[in-house]
Amino acid sequence: MSTLRNRTTVLAAATTAVLALALTACDGDDSGTKSASPASGNSAAASSPETPKDTSAANTDTAKGSGTTGGSTTGGSGTAGGSGTAGGDTSDSYAYKHPCKSGDLSVRVYPREGSATQQVIEVNNVGANSCGLSYFPRVSLGAANASDHSSDIQPTVPGGLGGAPAYPVKPKTAAIAVIDLNPSGANGLTWINEMNVLADDDHMPNAETQNFELGPDVKVLDPKLGLYRSTVAEAVSSMKQAGTS
């Protein structure tokens, strides 16, 4: 009987010890889980601000990549100039070696303000690079409906020309020439109603001549044409030298 009690006591003690160990293990798991959760949360919080930074960096890189591609595409038209972002080569030396092309020019003809007989010929460079023109445009005056233009009138121009190999025109600027259809103001030819302009007689074919209608009351007599200049005033001064050497 005593032995049985001892065994019972031993079993109870063993059971108690096992329960105690189990409870200790459970407390350890709970403690570990609780301590792990804050660490995990802090880790997420620490990495959370970096996530937008990484995303921003990726977006920036992507934007830069597309910008570079766009720059290359945009710069393609200015490749010849070799200056990309500057919009092309704007030097006079480049213009001397690269004659203007019709596709890079816009030509206008309009009456000069304050004069009844003078017309302004304005040749704008709409290209990306500087280009070179002949010293003055080739101009002839005739009838729009004429089948034969051999009798068209050509103006006199200044003589004694020399110097640079071409007249340079920078991008977004104009070369201006002025023609006086009737410098003396006397009675002149009344059948002329059209002005024909070739911006560069040295390098452009006749087919690129442009035609401009003149007013109905135009009288042409001994017309004079000046050289290309950067302003109307300078072009007028050059025109007055036409016919002189």
Side-chain angles (χ1 to χ4, degrees), residues 8-171:
T8 301
T9 301
V10 170
L11 289 172
T15 301
T16 301
V18 169
L19 289 173
L21 289 172
L23 288 173
T24 301
C26 288
D27 288 341
D29 289 344
D30 288 345
S31 175
T33 302
K34 289 178 182 178
S35 63
S37 294
S40 175
N42 289 339
S43 175
S47 63
S48 183
E50 293 179 2
T51 303
K53 291 181 181 179
D54 293 341
T55 303
S56 175
N59 289 341
T60 301
D61 290 341
T62 303
K64 287 180 180 178
S66 60
T68 302
T69 302
S72 298
T73 303
T74 304
S77 61
T79 303
S83 356
T85 57
D89 196 313
T90 62
S91 67
D92 288 354
S93 58
Y94 184 90
Y96 296 150
K97 298 177 182 178
H98 296 81
C100 296
K101 298 179 180 179
S102 292
D104 290 330
L105 301 177
S106 173
V107 182
R108 297 175 56 209
V109 172
Y110 52 91
R112 182 197 166 209
E113 185 176 359
S115 173
T117 61
Q118 296 176 10
Q119 297 278 326
V120 178
I121 301 170
E122 182 182 293
V123 181
N124 291 276
N125 181 358
V126 297
N129 304 301
S130 289
C131 62
L133 292 170
S134 51
Y135 290 159
F136 54 88
R138 190 182 77 189
V139 176
S140 63
L141 305 162
N145 59 355
S147 57
D148 180 10
H149 289 275
S150 60
S151 60
D152 285 3
I153 306 299
Q154 293 186 334
T156 57
V157 296
L161 303 180
Y167 181 83
V169 191
K170 297 183 184 298

